[in-house]
Amino acid sequence: VEETVTVDLSNTYLDWAERNMRQNGFVFEILFMDASDATLMKRYKESRRVHPLATPEDNRIESGIRREREILTAMKKQADYIIDTSKLLTRELKEEIDRIFVQNGEYNNLIVSIVSFGFKHGIPADADLVFDVRFLPNPFYIDELKYLTGLDKGVQDYVMSFPEAGQFLDRLEDMLHFLIPNYIKEGKYQLVVAIGCTGGKHRSVTLANELYGRMKDKGNYGLTLSHRDVK
């Protein structure tokens, strides 16, 4: 026997379902995974699938995403945890879920993404905070360092040999420790900290790595690191 069940995914239904489960003694937490419209568009195009909520008239992914957000508004507000997956690798998403549900760590729904980049390739479009480290001497003009990157120890030692590099990191770390709790309080889910030098290979990569090392495991927020232009 085949039975077709139509589920009304309206906010009213979701609200009723949650209340009903709690009233019947179910203990649960809601994890809401979100992503930017641009990221969702990219994922749908890569999978070559049409959004199931796209209107029959235009069959566009954008309209489906817009309707989906409207339907899930109440559920997002009721969620215990919200993870913005826009910039997360599968491994990083697994680490965040593990931190919440296995380690039972405190979690404030904020993912801080540290990104290195080169100004000659343009500032990252999604950057919230942009820092220019071109005030430091450029390893590009040192013959033995020119074709290395900030992922190599020689470049790292050279960049960090200047006192200004450490002083910059001290001030930046202090500022972020001040800003992050306020961003959390305002309900921000994604903070992109972009550090740029000329080509995005030496100084910015070194300082992004150093900042990540200083901030890792020091707060109740997610932390990721990427180097946009290192290759």
Side-chain angles (χ1 to χ4, degrees):
V1 177
E2 293 185 2
E3 181 180 0
T4 301
V5 178
T6 302
V7 179
D8 175 14
L9 286 179
S10 66
N11 288 332
T12 302
Y13 174 81
L14 293 172
D15 186 54
W16 171 85
E18 184 190 7
R19 287 201 316 272
N20 189 55
M21 289 177 68
R22 295 194 191 280
Q23 289 170 0
N24 282 280
F26 291 98
V27 178
F28 62 93
E29 293 178 309
I30 299 173
L31 169 64
F32 189 97
M33 289 189 286
D34 201 353
S36 66
D37 286 1
T39 300
L40 293 173
M41 287 280 294
K42 182 173 180 291
R43 290 172 182 172
Y44 270 102
K45 288 182 177 179
E46 287 176 347
S47 67
R48 298 183 180 180
R49 294 181 178 178
V50 176
H51 196 291
L53 294 177
T55 57
E57 293 77 16
D58 58 22
N59 216 29
R60 296 178 64 214
I61 297 172
E62 294 97 324
S63 63
I65 292 173
R66 185 168 57 252
R67 172 152 172 72
E68 182 181 19
R69 290 199 185 283
E70 293 171 356
I71 290 173
L72 295 177
T73 298
M75 181 60 70
K76 185 174 182 179
K77 289 180 180 178
Q78 295 164 4
D80 299 283
Y81 308 101
I82 299 174
I83 298 180
D84 189 317
T85 67
S86 301
K87 289 185 167 296
L88 292 184
L89 301 174
T90 303
R91 167 182 55 80
E92 294 169 335
L93 176 58
K94 180 179 179 297
E95 290 174 356
E96 294 306 311
I97 294 176
D98 180 81
R99 184 147 68 98
I100 297 171
F101 296 108
V102 178
Q103 301 175 28
N104 292 317
E106 185 179 354
Y107 190 79
N108 279 315
N109 299 334
L110 177 69
I111 300 291
V112 179
S113 300
I114 300 173
V115 182
S116 71
F117 73 96
F119 277 96
K120 74 176 184 179
H121 304 298
I123 297 174
D126 58 349
D128 296 295
L129 303 172
V130 179
F131 298 94
D132 184 348
V133 297
R134 289 176 292 185
F135 63 87
L136 293 169
N138 193 347
F140 180 81
Y141 298 108
I142 308 298
D143 290 341
E144 60 267 29
L145 302 178
K146 182 174 183 177
Y147 296 107
L148 300 179
T149 74
L151 301 176
D152 297 299
K153 190 174 185 303
V155 173
Q156 295 168 359
D157 290 344
Y158 176 81
V159 172
M160 295 308 299
S161 69
F162 298 97
E164 294 84 357
Q167 293 168 9
F168 167 78
L169 286 170
D170 290 342
R171 287 165 170 74
L172 178 54
E173 185 182 7
D174 284 345
M175 184 175 69
L176 290 175
H177 284 318
F178 165 75
L179 290 174
I180 287 172
N182 288 287
Y183 282 130
I184 291 173
K185 187 166 59 177
E186 289 300 311
K188 191 173 180 62
Y189 304 122
Q190 179 83 15
L191 177 66
V192 180
V193 181
I195 300 177
C197 62
T198 304
K201 296 180 182 295
H202 298 97
R203 294 164 290 182
S204 62
V205 174
T206 297
L207 292 175
N209 282 337
E210 290 286 335
L211 180 64
Y212 178 81
R214 290 182 176 212
M215 297 183 64
K216 187 171 176 58
D217 300 324
K218 288 188 177 179
N220 49 1
Y221 49 83
L223 187 67
T224 69
L225 172 68
S226 62
H227 304 296
R228 192 192 70 179
D229 301 323
V230 74
K231 295 182 180 182

